[in-house]
Structure formats: structure tokens, C-alpha cells
Amino acid sequence: MKDLKIYTDKDIDINIIKNKKIAVIGFGSQGYGQSMNLKDSGCNVVLGLRLGGKSDKKAKNYGFKTMTIEDAVKWADIIQVLIPDEIQADVYEKQIKPNMRAGQYLMFAHGFNIHFKKIVPPDGVNVIMVAPKGPGHTVRSQYTEGKGVPSLIAVYQDPSGNGKEVALSYASAIGAGRAGIIETTFKEETETDLFGEQAVICGGVSALMKAGFEVLTEAGYSPYMAYFEVLHEMKLIIDLVNQGGLADMRYSISNTAEYGDMTRGPKVIGEASKDAMREILKNIQNGSFANEFMNEMKSGQKEFNRLREENASHPIEKIGEEIRSSFKWGRNENIIDRNKN
Ligand code: NAD
Ligand code: MG
Ligand code: MG
């Protein structure tokens, strides 16, 4: 590719990361996926956690050494912060910053807190990012299959002068070098990640599926049929897109479907939707989404919880639960087991 360098394992010295002490803070989605892969790649990993809590028990079950966040930060060369974005700044101020020293590498899997200046590390600390472009449980499941999830790396502050090499080495150890690693900036990663999840892959897609389900059921069609047509088949179609673009999808579907796709799709997602997307992007860029989210989380998450409830009780979710429990293809037990990972 002309302007895009994609790094893979052959470009990377994995020994850089093997010779460093890594504290992974948090054992949630990314904490689980990344620390398991680091360990299997031969790295020296400790989990920084609330001792005695749920994550502590899960991590110990996988054989990890766990420490308080404070002790893990003191012990480590590299601190990978994998707790929810909305609490990172608090935990940073109280537990990380007082125990950090110059020359350490403070790492993130998303640029949110650094880019929006919720966390402002001292000049002597290296600030880098390794952001897998997939869920943490998939970072793990792909690795165990000998594959990897493509990841972004970025360097924000580089007093030691080797931030990029360290980020690449870490990315390789979590399996990303088997797929491909791309360098970006904290600003670009943060803004495009937020836009993608809000407008398209999470927000856009779930709103699209719900709207389609509502239109079919309001017109009197069976909710079971509606579920299969607008939700279940989504993955089968997206797998084709993921492999070979829209062209592979269109190669496989009928001419009827392809003609309907190209003539009707733009009527659903047209200029009005693009205007809404532009507005969403503007609110990401000017920091107002970040502030709104942080305020909501700090003031008791009332609206967030209300929305969760409203969404959980949508008929598409109720019908989906019923359908998936009667078919074995609905289960993904090997990737997510809420008691274990
Ligand atoms: P998560 O919500 O799964 O993290 C949960 C972990 O944080 C648990 O170990 C929990 O005990 C710990 N935790 C929660 N509150 C805490 C507190 N007050 N003190 C100490 N520990 C606390 O997090 P995640 O979704 O894996 O996200 C971690 C980072 O990775 C975020 O920056 C996120 O944007 C980024 N990221 C996530 C994904 C993903 O797949 N979820 C993908 C790419 C990037
Ligand atoms: Mg994100
Ligand atoms: Mg069809």
C-alpha cells in the first residue's frame, strides 16, 4: 500500500517487551485478553487490581500474580491501563501518579483520557498506546487459534526515544503482529474510534436493526421472522464483507437482493443520516461528547441505566433470547464465560 505501513511480526523485536516488567491494570475485557496473551508469549506480567475483588479471583484462577494498583505501578516498567475510560483519571490521580517514576511507559488501549486531557502525565514518563481493533475476549480467542486482532499503536510522549519500538513489541506479544499493526496518533485513534462505535458499528447498526424489526412487526409480521431477517443474518452477511468487501457480499447474494441493496439502501441511509453523522463527529471533536459522558458517569449514571433498561426490554432482545436458547448456534461459550473472563 502506498501511504500505509502495516507492521507484522517480521518487522518487530519481541524481546524488547520480554525484557520489561508489565503491570496490566484491570482484568476486564481487554485486561483478560491482553494479559493472557502476554503471558503465553513469555512476558513478565502482573495484574494491578483491587485485591479480593472479582477480577482478582478471576486473574488468580488463570495463575496470575496480582498486586494492588499502587504496588504494581512501583514494580513495573510498563503500566497498561485497562480499566473503564470513565474511572481512569480518578485511579490515575490517586493510585498511579503518586507511584510513577520518570522513564516508565504509561500505556493505554484507547486515547480518550490523554487526548481529552483528563490525564496529564509528567514530561519524564513515556505515553504510548496499543489499541486492539476488536473486543478483549476476541483478542484472546484469536490468539489461541494462532491468529491475531489488528491493532493501532501511537506515541504521545517519548522521553526515552523508543516508544514506538516498545509499542510494536507489546502489540506483537498480544498477537497483533500476526494480523497487522498500524501507527496512528492519540487524536486520530480517539476521534475515529468514538465515531465508528457511535455512528456505525455499535450505535448505527443496533438502531438500524431495531428500526427494521419495528417496521416488520408493526406491519403484522412474526417477530421471529423479523429477528432472523434483520438481526441473525447480519453476521452471515458481515462475514462476507469482512473477507472480501461489499463486492464479495454482492457476489454471494441473489441478483434480487443486490438490486434491492443498491437501489434501496441509500434511501435508508442518505443525506439526513450523513448530516446526523457530521453532527456526531463535531461533538466528538470539540470534546462535548467526552464531557457529557464523564458527567453522566460521575453523577450516578441515571440516564445511562435508564437507557440500558429500555434497550434490554426491547422486543428484539426478548425474542432473540428465546430463539437463541432453542438453537445451539446462538452460543459463544468458548469466547465469553462471564464467570471466568
Ligand atoms: P472493562 O470495563 O472490561 O474493565 C473492567 C476492569 O476494570 C475490571 O478488572 C474491574 O475490576 C476494573 N475496575 C473497574 N472499576 C475499578 C476501580 N474503581 N478501581 C480499580 N479497578 C476497577 O474495561 P475494557 O472494556 O476492557 O476497557 C479498558 C480499556 O480498553 C478502555 O480504555 C477501553 O476504551 C479500551 N478498549 C476496550 C475494548 C474492549 O474490547 N472492551 C476495545 C478496545 C479498547
Ligand atoms: Mg472504543
Ligand atoms: Mg433474504
Side-chain angles (χ1 to χ4, degrees):
M1 232 165 299
K2 224 173 72 208
D3 295 319
L4 182 66
K5 167 81 184 144
I6 300 178
Y7 298 89
T8 55
D9 288 335
K10 65 176 175 6
D11 308 309
I12 301 172
D13 179 6
I14 197 174
N15 290 313
I16 299 174
I17 202 74
K18 284 193 187 176
N19 293 323
K20 296 205 185 294
K21 294 188 269 185
I22 309 166
V24 172
I25 311 301
F27 197 70
S29 178
Q30 287 294 331
Y32 156 76
Q34 295 190 25
S35 57
M36 295 287 284
N37 295 0
L38 290 167
K39 180 160 73 106
D40 287 353
S41 293
C43 296
N44 187 2
V45 193
V46 150
L47 270 301
L49 300 167
R50 292 173 293 191
L51 295 182
K54 260 196 230 155
S55 294
D56 184 34
K57 293 200 182 86
K58 289 180 185 177
K60 283 195 174 110
N61 274 339
Y62 284 109
F64 282 107
K65 178 165 184 177
T66 64
M67 296 182 183
T68 63
I69 294 175
E70 289 84 344
D71 286 346
V73 169
K74 281 185 210 153
W75 169 84
D77 303 311
I78 297 196
I79 302 143
Q80 170 68 310
V81 183
L82 297 179
I83 54 181
D85 293 309
E86 68 275 15
I87 62 156
Q88 289 183 8
D90 251 15
V91 169
Y92 172 80
E93 284 304 323
K94 295 190 186 113
Q95 297 170 273
I96 297 177
K97 187 174 151 194
N99 299 294
M100 253 183 351
R101 58 183 181 275
Q104 278 178 318
Y105 297 80
L106 185 64
M107 274 186 62
F108 296 88
H110 178 35
F112 190 97
N113 282 281
I114 293 291
H115 175 62
F116 292 117
K117 304 229 177 327
K118 311 290 178 203
I119 293 178
V120 183
D123 292 343
V125 168
N126 301 284
V127 180
I128 60 180
M129 170 173 20
V130 174
K133 290 285 99 184
H137 294 90
T138 310
V139 169
R140 179 57 182 167
S141 63
Q142 289 284 98
Y143 182 93
T144 57
E145 289 171 31
K147 302 182 219 159
V149 169
S151 297
L152 302 177
I153 59 155
V155 177
Y156 187 80
Q157 239 172 241
D158 198 20
S160 301
N162 66 347
K164 182 171 170 182
E165 288 69 32
V166 173
L168 282 171
S169 190
Y170 183 103
S172 171
I174 63 169
R178 298 164 174 178
I181 303 163
I182 297 166
E183 185 175 17
T184 181
T185 61
F186 272 65
K187 172 179 160 60
E188 187 175 58
E189 185 278 337
T190 303
E191 294 176 353
T192 57
D193 182 79
L194 292 172
F195 179 80
E197 66 204 17
Q198 292 176 21
V200 183
I201 58 177
C202 306
V205 164
S206 52
L208 185 67
M209 293 190 297
K210 280 197 305 190
F213 181 88
E214 286 165 11
V215 167
L216 280 179
T217 53
E218 283 162 15
Y221 294 97
S222 148
Y224 299 100
M225 287 299 295
Y227 177 86
F228 278 111
E229 289 298 340
V230 307
L231 190 148
H232 176 71
E233 255 191 79
M234 180 74 84
K235 172 170 163 45
L236 312 180
I237 292 293
I238 288 299
D239 281 346
L240 300 177
V241 175
N242 183 270
Q243 185 188 309
L246 298 173
D248 260 24
M249 183 265 283
R250 287 173 177 156
Y251 174 77
S252 182
I253 62 179
S254 64
N255 290 338
T256 328
E258 187 180 358
Y259 179 78
D261 155 1
M262 295 187 296
T263 56
R264 279 12 183 216
K267 293 186 197 294
V268 177
I269 310 289
E271 247 343 276
S273 298
K274 277 183 74 181
D275 279 342
M277 288 184 180
R278 290 185 188 105
E279 182 70 19
I280 287 169
L281 182 60
K282 200 179 77 197
N283 286 317
I284 292 168
Q285 290 167 331
N286 67 21
S288 63
F289 171 78
N291 290 335
E292 176 190 319
F293 173 62
M294 294 297 282
N295 289 338
E296 171 65 19
M297 299 311 274
K298 277 192 182 143
S299 62
Q301 308 190 19
K302 264 178 73 184
E303 178 62 4
F304 192 33
N305 288 336
R306 189 192 68 72
L307 286 166
R308 275 181 167 167
E309 253 168 58
E310 182 182 290
N311 274 272
S313 60
H314 191 281
I316 201 171
E317 291 286 83
K318 298 286 172 215
I319 290 291
E321 242 178 81
E322 204 184 306
I323 291 180
R324 291 189 303 269
S325 65
S326 347
F327 290 89
K328 67 171 187 288
W329 41 251
R331 299 283 166 122
N332 241 339
E333 276 148 347
N334 49 354
I335 298 183
I336 295 179
D337 177 342
R338 292 184 187 212
N339 291 317
K340 282 199 206 148
N341 56 32

